[in-house]
Amino acid sequence: MSRLRPHIESHLVSRIGWLRAAVLGANDGIVSTASLIVGVAMASAATSEVLVAGVAGLVAGAMSMAAGEYVSVSSQSDTEQADLARERAELAIQPALEREELARIYIDRGVSPDLAYQVADQLMSKDALGAHARDELGISEVTAARPIQAALTSAATFAVGASMPLTIVLLMPQDALVVGVSVASLLFLALLGAIGARAGGANVMKATLRVTFWGVLAMALTAGIGWVFGTVVG
């Protein structure tokens, strides 16, 4: 009889923390900066003014993404730590009830009662808090909040995304600025959607259409606002 070799799997869910922040940051960078550029350009602004607005949008947006991600993910982390502290106290005060609770979770999943209690005993003897964190609270190494990672990833990818429409401004003549930035930005968004879906193992076409649709909507609205204000002020 041949011996079975260890089977090592690499699951895409391990990427969910940084992938979400990266896709969100790059998407916001492209959409918000391209929309800002299109809106300012529609108001008949000079190329230099469009560039200033775009660079200001890049810096402000990157800092806003970093701060927003850090605050929101820190709130999630604080909640997780509070739940873990409460669970640690309950394990110290009433271990028998916590054993019962853990076993009931396995029974509800289809494990026989005898086996469920054996599993609960073995897991709690090794790492009681870890077992309850995973199966009762839904907290694991993969899903745990990482505020600094989320903040840095979002800020960096926002800046990269924002630099794409800004580069187009430098390459296009002023009379073709709106069309050039709009078309190029939509292509960047489609590429981003495809890359994000590919990295996360999702449907590429669905993700591409989703980000492209919202990009079109954002740029159309800001272009309309820029045209209206440019006409009124002019």
Side-chain angles (χ1 to χ4, degrees):
M1 182 182 294
S2 62
R3 300 179 65 181
L4 294 177
R5 294 182 179 179
H7 177 56
I8 301 175
E9 294 182 344
S10 177
H11 295 288
L12 298 175
V13 71
S14 62
R15 305 174 181 176
I16 193 169
W18 65 264
L19 183 60
R20 181 197 66 82
V23 172
L24 178 63
N27 182 81
D28 279 4
I30 296 172
V31 173
S32 62
T33 306
S35 299
L36 178 62
I37 288 171
V38 169
V40 174
M42 284 295 293
S44 300
T47 300
S48 59
E49 295 173 334
V50 173
L51 275 174
V52 170
V55 172
L58 184 156
V59 175
M63 295 306 298
S64 176
M65 287 294 294
E69 281 289 313
Y70 185 81
V71 170
S72 63
V73 180
S74 291
S75 297
Q76 177 188 339
S77 179
D78 291 343
T79 301
E80 291 175 354
Q81 294 305 314
D83 281 341
L84 289 173
R86 187 179 303 110
E87 197 65 32
R88 189 181 293 109
E90 291 174 353
L91 284 167
I93 296 171
Q94 48 189 26
L97 290 178
E98 290 300 306
R99 170 183 177 266
E100 179 75 20
E101 187 175 36
L102 192 61
R104 286 294 171 187
I105 292 173
Y106 302 140
I107 292 171
D108 291 341
R109 293 178 183 174
V111 180
S112 64
D114 289 342
L115 182 56
Y117 283 103
Q118 290 179 37
V119 172
D121 287 337
Q122 292 183 24
L123 290 178
M124 289 184 66
S125 66
K126 181 179 180 180
D127 182 8
L129 182 61
H132 281 270
R134 287 189 304 271
D135 295 319
E136 182 183 348
L137 304 177
I139 301 173
S140 68
E141 184 66 24
V142 172
T143 60
R146 296 178 176 84
I148 294 179
Q149 181 193 66
L152 294 178
T153 301
S154 294
T157 52
F158 183 98
V160 171
S163 67
M164 295 178 182
L166 276 173
T167 302
I168 302 300
V169 174
L170 295 172
L171 300 176
M172 300 292 295
Q174 184 174 353
D175 57 352
L177 204 57
V178 173
V179 174
V181 170
S182 298
V183 172
S185 297
L186 291 177
L187 291 176
F188 293 146
L189 284 172
L191 179 61
L192 173 65
I195 292 173
R198 184 75 174 177
N203 185 289
V204 173
M205 182 60 68
K206 182 178 180 181
T208 301
L209 291 175
R210 182 169 54 214
V211 298
T212 305
F213 168 78
W214 288 107
V216 169
L217 182 61
M219 281 184 276
L221 288 174
T222 52
I225 293 172
W227 179 80
V228 169
F229 276 89
T231 301
V232 171
V233 175

